[in-house]
Amino acid sequence: MGIRCDAGARSGVGHLVRCVALAEELVARGVEVVFLGEVRDSPWGRAQLDGRGLPLVPAPHEPEKLAALARGLGFDAVVLDSYELAPATGSVLRAAGLPVLAIVDGDPLGQEADLYLDQNLGAEHRPFTLSGPRLAGSSHVLLRDSVRRRTRAPRPDGPPRVLCFFGGTDSAGVARRWADALNATGLPFLGTVVSPVPFDAGPIAVIPPTDRLPELMAAADLVVTAAGSAVWELLHLGAPMALTWVAANQLIGYEELVRRRAAAGLGPAPGPEAVATLAKLLADPAAREEHGRRGRGLVDGKGRERVADALLALAVR
């Protein structure tokens, strides 16, 4: 099985993380998985593959060359998860006899596939521009083993524990600004910011990208993050969230979660209103926990099993 995706300091690692979750499920079923693409300037991203023994093969950009590589490696099917692919990639792979699963976030960007996956909350109710079967909604969220086996930690007494992170690379460079917004509340809390670039955040601890993130998420009283792939992990854990967005494709998930009150909305950037929202959440444990309660149960952790079932059915047609 081939998985075509990229990751890097500028593009983030969200695509890679969800594909790693799918790969874990496939490998557990005895399927050999090979990643095709690049992991640029992200040691943490590369470690996600190396630590699981998942090979990474450089992928050509031309669809015809990619199809030839996939055929030469003996793949039964190919998963596509990238915004950077030529729109003809899926159709060329299919013409070469390779079934295709395309993982999308709303807009399929013209990519043809035998099966589409859009794991965004409420995706099953939104129109889709291409024909073909689609797995849609939070029942198909791809979660890693490290998240699926984690449960939320008991709440100790004392100041709230706050975790702030923006993917595995902070590709938009906003971690420092949100750390400043937390400090601007003037309220007591125990803060941890995850950032690939160290900086002085006063009383907040700044740590590099870490495999301990699921543990930190489960222990947090409040998580400040963007509405990317990590929100599905946080929903599964029932962790209270305060959300922003750093990319256009995240706005759909942001609006849906805020509308359902499964997360507090901070808007697109730190400012007085965002600081006021953070202050309210830090001061009001019940308000924080209400967001976590509304989110808990939206992601049951079995989505990758459902996706793997559908993908393997494609491969044996």
Side-chain angles (χ1 to χ4, degrees), residues 49-164:
L49 301 179
D50 293 344
R52 295 169 172 82
L54 296 168
L56 176 65
V57 175
H61 294 286
E62 300 85 353
E64 293 78 12
K65 291 182 179 180
L66 178 64
L69 175 62
R71 295 292 294 177
L73 292 172
F75 293 156
D76 296 316
V78 177
V79 178
L80 301 178
D81 189 3
S82 174
Y83 300 150
E84 301 175 8
L85 298 177
T89 303
S91 60
V92 170
L93 287 167
R94 297 175 72 204
L98 290 158
V100 173
L101 165 64
I103 303 179
V104 302
D105 296 292
D107 188 352
L109 302 176
Q111 205 66 256
E112 290 187 16
D114 298 276
L115 179 66
Y116 296 92
L117 166 62
D118 185 345
Q119 64 177 8
N120 288 284
L121 190 64
E124 66 273 30
H125 304 304
R126 289 190 282 271
F128 193 63
T129 58
L130 295 179
S131 60
R134 179 174 60 138
L135 307 175
S138 58
S139 62
H140 298 96
V141 165
L142 306 171
L143 293 181
R144 298 172 290 160
D145 286 333
S146 57
V147 175
R148 299 210 309 168
R149 61 173 174 253
R150 182 72 55 183
T151 57
R152 193 150 180 248
R155 307 294 92 199
D157 295 330
R161 293 169 295 180
V162 179
L163 174 65
C164 180

Side-chain angles (χ1 to χ4, degrees), residues 3 17 53 104 148 164 230 234 263 271 306:
I3 298 181
V17 167
V104 302
R148 299 210 309 168
C164 180
L234 292 162
R306 301 179 183 108

Side-chain angles (χ1 to χ4, degrees), residues 84-296:
E84 301 175 8
L85 298 177
T89 303
S91 60
V92 170
L93 287 167
R94 297 175 72 204
L98 290 158
V100 173
L101 165 64
I103 303 179
V104 302
D105 296 292
D107 188 352
L109 302 176
Q111 205 66 256
E112 290 187 16
D114 298 276
L115 179 66
Y116 296 92
L117 166 62
D118 185 345
Q119 64 177 8
N120 288 284
L121 190 64
E124 66 273 30
H125 304 304
R126 289 190 282 271
F128 193 63
T129 58
L130 295 179
S131 60
R134 179 174 60 138
L135 307 175
S138 58
S139 62
H140 298 96
V141 165
L142 306 171
L143 293 181
R144 298 172 290 160
D145 286 333
S146 57
V147 175
R148 299 210 309 168
R149 61 173 174 253
R150 182 72 55 183
T151 57
R152 193 150 180 248
R155 307 294 92 199
D157 295 330
R161 293 169 295 180
V162 179
L163 174 65
C164 180
F165 71 95
F166 297 91
T169 63
D170 187 22
S171 59
V174 298
R176 182 194 294 265
R177 296 173 62 197
W178 284 106
D180 290 343
L182 283 164
N183 284 328
T185 66
L187 295 173
F189 63 93
L190 301 175
T192 301
V193 174
V194 181
S195 172
V197 179
F199 61 89
D200 183 4
I204 302 176
V206 179
I207 64 173
T210 173
D211 283 336
R212 292 183 55 238
L213 192 59
E215 173 191 341
L216 295 172
M217 290 191 295
D221 297 297
L222 178 66
V223 179
V224 178
T225 189
S229 297
V231 298
W232 315 123
E233 299 179 346
L234 292 162
L235 288 170
H236 179 66
L237 294 169
M241 292 181 282
L243 294 181
T244 181
W245 73 90
V246 297
N249 65 292
Q250 295 177 351
L251 187 55
I252 293 176
Y254 173 91
E255 291 177 339
E256 186 72 19
L257 287 164
V258 172
R259 182 185 69 80
R260 296 190 185 207
R261 296 174 60 198
L266 298 173
E273 291 185 6
V275 171
T277 298
L278 290 171
K280 178 180 178 181
L281 292 169
L282 291 174
D284 190 343
R288 295 194 304 265
E289 289 301 316
E290 178 63 13
H291 289 304
R293 185 192 67 77
R294 288 176 178 272
R296 192 177 302 116

